[in-house]
Amino acid sequence: MKSMIATTLLSLLMAGPLDAEDAPKAPLSAGAATSSITPDIGGDVVGGFLPFPCTHVHDDLYARCLVLDDGKTRLALVVCDLLGIHRSVSVEAKKRIEAQTGIPAANVMISATHTHSATSALGKYPRGYFSDIELDDYQQFLVRRIADGVRRAVNLLRPAEVAFGTVDIPEHVFCRRWFLKEGTMPPNPFGKIDKVKMNPGAGSPNLVEPAGPTDPTVSFLALREPGGRLISVFSAYSLHYVGGVGSGHISADYYGMYCEALKRLQEGGSADPPFVAMMANGTSGDINNINFRTPRPGKPPYEQMRYVAEDVASKVNGALAKATWQDKAVLGARYRELGISWRTIDGDLLEWANQTEAKTPPVEGKVDLPLAYAGRVQRLAKASPETKLPVQILRIGDACIGTTPCETFAETGLEFKKRSPLPKSFLVELAHGYYGYMPTPRHFELGGYETWPGTCNLEPQASVKVMDALLEMAEEVR
Ligand SMILES: [Zn+2]
């Protein structure tokens, strides 16, 4: 209420040219909070081909929440330590947030980091291909925890300055799709030969060259109390995950360790209200942390993810010291659901799936790739024609964050950075849903794991349609 009166007063005072549609009505304010989303021990850990039971929590999982307010528009950004979130979780969380805080659903961005050592927020296993599902117990818990986190961030809103920055950290990101020497490509689960291989074997003599670029840039938005300490840093890096956890462990992977490391670097981690760091996933569908040309020796659990997390945190911290701060920023948001089609399964492929299933008896706990893909193909063939593919644009001053609900390729993120009408733009993947990998049409033609039906579940032109929609929406908020 207080801020509404302040806003009205300010807009009265600021009548005239400054009261243009676009001008912020008040100094920016920001608040941030973390909300625990750690599951019970005993639930399923996801990330591999088959889920397995969690026996230990190495580090807690969080929904990290940031709320921004320019006196006219309020935005909420939420990053969850999860492999992915089903669209229905995002829909329900946004409903609850809107009812409790008044922040319109279209202004709320909810994404997952892609930690592979989390519980599933994607629904029951094996999963079908649906845009709407009924929420299970963990998903309902998650909806409440996300909404509470946003509410807590609203409670902590205070005057703020904003800065945008980037820092290039090429040394932790590698393309994981490779061309191999003639005659060395193994057949895929469908009995066909792809043009590229995912994770071809580090140091393999058969490597020719990677099939695509990496995006080495960490983009970040920082919020601080005027001239004072940090409130939050929202960052995005295009790294799939690091991995290397203990067996049966829950962990937020390098994303969580980065947040802790940046907090320590900033203030020893003891300020009240606490500084909230966030690391969203950029566009890393074809990127991982394995240097295939010059492999590193194996490390004990958590060592590599800690190494990456602390290195990225210290480089972002260095870039923060050089940031230029502003006390006003126009906020804006656009949200759309695209009727992109699920992938078409032709008669031959379905026949292959039916025959493979008929002749392969399942063995408990054993992964048989052709059998696993046969099941996925059969379920994909039953999907209703259109998805409700969520895409979103948030504008914060001259910065712009676009989102996709897919494991998106690095070249898509690079294209958005180049073509966006706003100068400081980047993409966040795995937002508002999980629709599998989204290769560009060029990568789709090359084949490989990320393009197989059951891994890649959308029509081949999906990335082009998503890009067109994002650029249109960015133009609208400019
Ligand atoms: Zn993945």
Side-chain angles (χ1 to χ4, degrees), residues 50-347:
L50 289 174
F52 52 88
C54 153
T55 52
H56 180 65
V57 175
H58 174 270
D59 52 275
D60 281 302
L61 308 183
Y62 292 99
R64 301 170 208 268
C65 309
L66 167 63
V67 171
L68 301 172
D69 188 322
D70 68 356
K72 186 171 97 177
T73 303
R74 220 171 240 198
L75 304 180
L77 295 86
V78 181
V79 179
C80 301
D81 292 324
L82 292 168
L83 182 74
I85 42 173
H86 195 279
R87 176 183 165 280
S88 292
V89 173
S90 168
V91 167
E92 289 306 315
K94 286 180 292 184
K95 260 190 216 160
R96 197 174 169 94
I97 290 165
E98 182 160 358
Q100 293 180 336
T101 69
I103 303 175
N107 294 17
V108 179
M109 185 185 113
I110 305 173
S111 75
T113 57
H114 209 47
T115 171
H116 279 46
S117 40
T119 210
S120 173
L122 298 171
K124 292 193 174 50
Y125 195 88
R127 293 186 293 272
Y129 298 88
F130 304 103
S131 286
D132 295 282
I133 58 166
E134 218 170 285
L135 301 188
D136 64 22
D137 288 349
Y138 180 70
Q139 290 172 318
Q140 291 177 28
F141 165 75
L142 191 58
V143 164
R144 296 191 299 270
R145 296 308 297 152
I146 290 172
D148 279 3
V150 171
R151 246 173 124 167
R152 288 162 60 184
V154 169
N155 292 341
L156 294 170
L157 276 170
R158 53 205 190 271
E161 296 173 328
V162 64
F164 174 84
T166 60
V167 54
D168 282 0
I169 313 181
E171 55 268 42
H172 303 305
V173 286
F174 302 91
C175 179
R176 68 182 201 183
R177 287 163 53 79
W178 282 73
F179 292 102
L180 300 184
K181 283 184 185 151
E182 184 95 32
T184 65
M185 188 69 68
N188 66 26
F190 311 92
K192 305 266 164 60
I193 301 291
D194 292 316
K195 294 195 183 85
V196 301
K197 171 99 178 73
M198 176 197 61
N199 292 344
S204 161
N206 300 329
L207 299 177
V208 175
E209 60 177 349
T214 63
D215 178 354
T217 307
V218 179
S219 300
F220 64 86
L221 266 171
L223 287 307
R224 72 172 186 188
E225 293 172 358
R229 58 185 203 82
L230 281 179
I231 296 169
S232 179
V233 173
F234 179 97
S235 25
Y237 188 33
S238 295
L239 172 56
H240 209 69
Y241 72 111
V242 176
V245 299
S247 152
H249 287 198
I250 289 282
S251 167
D253 203 282
Y254 100 92
Y255 314 96
M257 287 180 180
Y258 162 86
C259 296
E260 287 306 310
L262 194 55
K263 195 169 167 175
R264 265 196 320 274
L265 287 168
Q266 277 299 320
E267 53 196 19
S270 58
D272 193 0
F275 161 67
V276 177
M278 304 161 83
M279 175 54 91
N281 207 320
T283 49
S284 67
D286 54 340
I287 305 299
N288 68 13
N289 187 233
I290 301 168
N291 185 340
F292 291 94
R293 285 257 194 243
T294 324
R296 59 175 170 80
K299 289 184 180 180
Y302 302 106
E303 199 173 296
Q304 178 66 10
M305 64 169 76
R306 185 162 285 122
Y307 166 69
V308 172
E310 292 190 359
D311 189 53
V312 174
S314 80
K315 285 169 181 158
V316 168
N317 198 48
L320 277 167
K322 293 174 239 154
T324 312
W325 298 90
Q326 292 175 309
D327 66 351
K328 286 196 176 64
V330 180
L331 303 180
R334 286 289 185 283
Y335 176 89
R336 279 189 205 168
E337 293 187 339
L338 308 178
I340 285 173
S341 304
W342 293 106
R343 186 169 179 169
T344 316
I345 301 296
D346 66 34

